[in-house]
Amino acid sequence: MFNKLFLEHTDNVQINYYLAMNAINLKLYDDATAAFERVLIKKPDFHRARLEYARVLLILGFKEEAKKEFLKVSMSPIPENVRINIQKYLEQIDNTSSSTFISLSLGMMYDDNINSGIDYDTYNLPGFGNFQVNGTPPQSSSSYIASFMINHLHSLNKNSKLFLKHTGYYFYKNQTVNDTYNFNFLSYKPTLYYNDSKNKAEYSLQLGIEDILPGDNLDFIAYSIMPAYKKIIDKDNSIDIFTQYKDIHYSKQEHKTRNYAKKGLGVSWDYKKLKYSLSYEKDSRDFGTRTDLNKKIITNSIAYNYDIQPSIILNTQFQYKQINYEDEDVLFTTKRKDISRNFYLGLTKVIEKRDFVTFSYTNTNNNSNQKAYTYDRNILSVNYTWRFKL
């Protein structure tokens, strides 16, 4: 009956709410989440609906998403008995002994500038007698891409607030033109979490090892450590702070002059569906005379996602990055300075709660005071992602 009413009144809050509640009783949890999402788009302060939505997410195994919804309600003016029940759910989530999620993604990509070919046909080298050099034209290619990720979260002991998450990730890209730009990436990142649900805060320490295998055989390994802190201020606001150290080592002896280290810190602010991030990074070469390694990077980014419909989500992001190199390039007789602007637009269609398709467009514009590094790049991609709980 409610399905028939929904088809006639798709945006009616009460019809969607009772449709969702009946779907829960029938254990049609994917149908329930879709109906609750329609309710909450129209009426974000419908706390009962948000609580039931969080419960369904928890049943489906999406603990982090469920926790966010529970916290949103707990920060609203609600009866004390409801707040106590929410706290029990939060403790249940935090005290869960273990859970494992797997995500698999397959897709295609078109890149109109895989080699970062520059905007200029020619440019001059002032430090080399103003010698004129031909610019590298952009090369375009499509590629097949695939990724696999596994997350395993477990508490260190019973009723502990300490959790350890193991994250393994693999990414593969195969070019249809010029396999020099093929790409393989593997990483393993264990993260130790301390959840302070009482103060709505989280502390974490992440270690990482990454193995990067590009098609040009410039293979390298990166080791990293990143402590972080997250604080939920209220139902609409949260803040994240992190600092990071990363060491990059190239595999072959003839490439060791490329070795360098990254030191950085950053902060991000989430307000509803808007996120702003600011980070600072300093790169330092280990040894040698390369002028492209010592640099300082400041990155600003702002992201926003909008639910066009409960199952169709628009994601946007703009990133502004300023890179100041510290060493003078003798060929250009200047210190290189780059301004990179990156715009991302993505449209995600949720098929079921566990799988979705994403269409995306990315534009990168890199301006530099040295013409050899000024380029534009456009990327179109489509990905199918499937995730499930073991």
Side-chain angles (χ1 to χ4, degrees), residues 36-236:
F36 279 132
E37 285 163 359
R38 290 193 294 269
V39 169
L40 295 171
I41 287 173
K42 295 290 290 184
K43 196 174 180 181
D45 293 330
F46 194 162
H47 302 316
R48 176 64 189 277
R50 193 173 295 279
L51 278 175
E52 295 295 342
Y53 177 52
R55 282 202 320 114
V56 175
L57 290 174
L58 190 56
I59 291 169
L60 290 172
F62 299 109
K63 294 185 179 67
E64 289 303 311
E65 292 93 333
K67 185 174 181 178
K68 290 177 184 177
E69 300 302 326
F70 281 128
L71 287 170
K72 284 180 183 178
V73 181
S74 71
M75 294 176 186
S76 305
I78 55 176
E80 191 58 30
N81 64 315
V82 176
R83 195 180 305 279
I84 292 171
N85 287 333
I86 290 174
Q87 188 62 35
K88 290 178 180 178
Y89 277 115
L90 291 172
E91 289 172 358
Q92 177 186 335
I93 292 171
D94 289 343
N95 293 333
T96 301
S97 58
S98 68
S99 62
T100 304
F101 263 92
I102 289 177
S103 174
L104 175 65
S105 180
L106 301 170
M108 290 196 67
M109 175 192 301
Y110 171 78
D111 189 334
D112 71 354
N113 194 356
I114 59 172
N115 60 333
S116 299
I118 63 175
D119 293 349
Y120 301 97
D121 294 330
T122 61
Y123 59 91
N124 297 323
L125 301 176
F128 198 62
N130 217 34
F131 184 74
Q132 189 177 77
V133 179
N134 291 326
T136 303
Q139 184 179 27
S140 62
S141 174
S142 57
S143 59
Y144 302 101
I145 54 177
S147 66
F148 174 82
M149 183 170 67
I150 182 168
N151 278 308
H152 178 71
L153 178 72
H154 64 92
S155 58
L156 295 187
N157 51 61
K158 188 177 181 180
N159 298 323
S160 173
K161 292 187 176 182
L162 284 171
F163 292 84
L164 186 61
K165 182 169 78 170
H166 305 270
T167 301
Y169 182 71
Y170 173 68
F171 176 82
Y172 170 76
K173 181 175 73 169
N174 183 35
Q175 300 286 157
T176 57
V177 175
N178 197 341
D179 59 11
T180 299
Y181 296 96
N182 286 354
F183 190 76
N184 284 271
F185 174 88
L186 301 97
S187 73
Y188 168 62
K189 294 182 178 181
T191 308
L192 182 66
Y193 291 95
Y194 175 76
N195 287 315
D196 184 359
S197 56
K198 182 179 179 181
N199 295 308
K200 301 177 178 64
E202 180 180 82
Y203 304 84
S204 64
L205 178 65
Q206 182 184 86
L207 303 177
I209 179 170
E210 301 168 345
D211 192 6
I212 294 89
L213 307 166
D216 57 7
N217 294 318
L218 290 173
D219 304 352
F220 62 91
I221 294 178
Y223 304 95
S224 63
I225 181 170
M226 187 176 73
Y229 169 76
K230 179 175 183 176
K231 171 68 175 176
I232 297 176
I233 301 168
D234 57 36
K235 67 183 181 69
D236 294 325

Side-chain angles (χ1 to χ4, degrees), residues 314-370:
L314 180 68
N315 297 287
T316 61
Q317 182 181 40
F318 176 74
Q319 183 185 82
Y320 179 90
K321 183 183 293 186
Q322 181 176 323
I323 310 171
N324 294 327
Y325 292 79
E326 298 184 337
D327 299 314
E328 183 177 287
D329 190 318
V330 294
L331 294 178
F332 288 95
T333 65
T334 58
K335 293 182 179 180
R336 179 179 163 190
K337 295 181 179 180
D338 286 11
I339 299 292
S340 177
R341 298 176 179 85
N342 182 280
F343 174 73
Y344 170 86
L345 182 66
L347 189 67
T348 297
K349 168 62 179 175
V350 179
I351 302 171
E352 296 289 349
K353 196 66 183 175
R354 294 179 178 86
D355 62 340
F356 52 89
V357 177
T358 300
F359 303 89
S360 68
Y361 166 73
T362 305
N363 171 261
T364 301
N365 173 258
N366 195 78
N367 283 311
S368 176
N369 64 333
Q370 298 177 3

